[in-house]
Amino acid sequence: MSEAISVLITGAGRGLGLATARALLRARPELHVVAAVRAGPEDLAARLATGAGAGRVHGLRCDLASLGSVRAAGETLAGMLDAGRLPPLGGIIGNAAVQTTTATQRTADGFESTFGVNVLGHYLLIRLLLDRLAPRARIVLVGSGTHFGDCRHNWGLAPGPRAAPVEVLARPWTTPDADTAGAGRAAYATSKLATVHLAHALDRRTPGTTEVFCFDPGLMPGTGLARQGTAVERAAWHSVMHLTRLLPQATGPRAAARRLAAAAVGASPGPSGSYLERGRPRPSSPASYDPAREEELWETAARLVGCPVPPTGPPVSEGGPCGTP
């Protein structure tokens, strides 16, 4: 039997996250799942901890739209690990994501909601837990083909990512179309390009200690991603859009969950830093290979969330704890 480990997964309350939590429990009988959700972690843990999952599920309250909530979650999990209440932390799956109807909505800390949750919240959570990761742990960030900005990957359903300094993208947009649904979709694509950049920057900082991947599940109609859309958009996403699953670029939550779980705890899916398109290493967009932009993202995110920003080096050399920005 393999050594017992814990895997943290964000956005575990629905859709891909919930299906992946279940897939993880099925994949390895010695594995513990830390299911992070905005509300009701105890109820979620009770739902998952049935049958084979009994005693192996731990709910964690974590609202990625609030840096204070993320810090509290990081401290809680670190305390559980240090006290031996959980096996060593062998993986982090950054799955939670939002897509809003505009690019003007704000997190509790004043950041643009999509970028704040999808990028900054995960960045802070990972930074808080880097020194708790077991040797050869894995970090898997869930990406999206929307970051390509072309019809092959998004079928024309979303604009491409916006080009602007990271500092600007992290704030509510002030462009003329910022209050439109198109801007909301562009903000989502922008956050997913930043997610690939974050994976590359993180990979450079954890050589030989942690494997880092960006996992693109494919388009998944029927999930909760459109929950903030209009009634017509939600109805289309949950009904007509199911027909797109007949196309090769699409997938369902259960199949995507099996692949995501395998990427996190199965055989290594490829070289660390890889972009995994439905589980297999593939090139990400040309714009995603930009070391200068990746470093800009890392350093700007660190400053915005209150973490130290050394120029280079592995996580253990990155200075003191992440505080309040």
Side-chain angles (χ1 to χ4, degrees):
M1 179 178 292
S2 301
E3 182 180 355
I5 62 168
S6 298
V7 175
L8 168 67
I9 178 169
T10 64
R14 67 175 76 198
L16 177 61
L18 180 59
T20 301
R22 288 172 171 151
L24 288 167
L25 292 169
R26 291 192 299 267
R28 289 176 53 176
E30 77 286 0
L31 186 147
H32 287 239
V33 171
V34 181
V37 289
R38 288 178 297 169
E42 298 84 2
D43 293 340
L44 174 61
R47 277 195 292 149
L48 288 170
T50 58
R56 297 193 289 126
V57 182
H58 312 267
L60 180 69
R61 188 180 303 277
C62 181
D63 182 356
L64 291 167
S66 165
L67 297 182
S69 176
V70 175
R71 290 190 191 93
E75 292 173 3
T76 297
L77 181 52
M80 295 172 70
L81 291 164
D82 293 347
R85 294 167 55 195
L86 284 172
L89 185 60
I92 298 174
I93 301 176
N95 162 74
V98 297
Q99 179 177 309
T100 62
T101 55
T102 73
T104 59
Q105 297 184 40
R106 299 171 181 265
T107 67
D109 305 281
F111 300 115
E112 190 278 313
S113 289
T114 311
F115 200 92
V117 170
N118 300 359
V119 183
L120 296 181
H122 280 121
Y123 176 90
L124 177 57
L125 185 61
I126 290 168
R127 285 291 301 266
L128 291 168
L129 296 170
L130 275 176
D131 63 354
R132 297 307 200 285
L133 287 172
R136 302 304 298 171
R138 284 189 202 161
I139 297 174
V140 183
L141 302 176
V142 175
S144 166
T146 59
H147 89 275
F148 283 86
D150 59 25
C151 288
R152 176 180 175 271
H153 291 87
N154 64 26
W155 304 331
L157 298 174
R162 179 186 174 191
V166 174
E167 175 77 37
V168 172
L169 299 176
R171 307 293 181 180
W173 292 13
T174 58
T175 55
D177 67 340
D179 282 316
T180 67
R185 291 191 290 270
Y188 180 78
T190 300
S191 76
K192 290 305 181 180
L193 176 57
T195 297
V196 186
H197 288 150
L198 176 56
H200 291 166
L202 183 58
D203 180 54
R204 280 197 293 275
R205 285 165 169 80
T206 58
T209 62
T210 302
E211 292 183 299
V212 182
F213 300 99
C214 186
F215 177 88
D216 175 3
L219 185 64
M220 292 189 299
T223 65
L225 190 60
R227 59 183 175 273
Q228 295 196 36
T230 66
V232 172
E233 290 170 336
R234 291 196 303 271
W237 187 249
H238 288 280
S239 57
V240 177
M241 289 297 293
H242 281 283
L243 297 176
T244 61
R245 289 183 178 168
L246 300 175
L247 299 175
Q249 300 96 326
T251 190
R254 289 185 180 179
R258 290 193 298 270
R259 294 167 182 153
L260 179 52
V265 300
S268 181
S272 182
S274 294
Y275 184 82
L276 306 177
E277 188 175 281
R278 290 181 294 171
R280 297 185 178 184
R282 295 285 189 272
S284 49
S285 71
S288 70
Y289 298 98
D290 186 341
R293 181 67 165 181
E294 293 157 9
E295 293 306 304
E296 178 194 357
L297 172 67
W298 184 273
E299 295 176 8
T300 302
R303 177 170 49 79
L304 293 176
V305 305
C307 290
V309 192
T312 58
V316 293
S317 69
E318 294 212 347
C322 297
T324 302

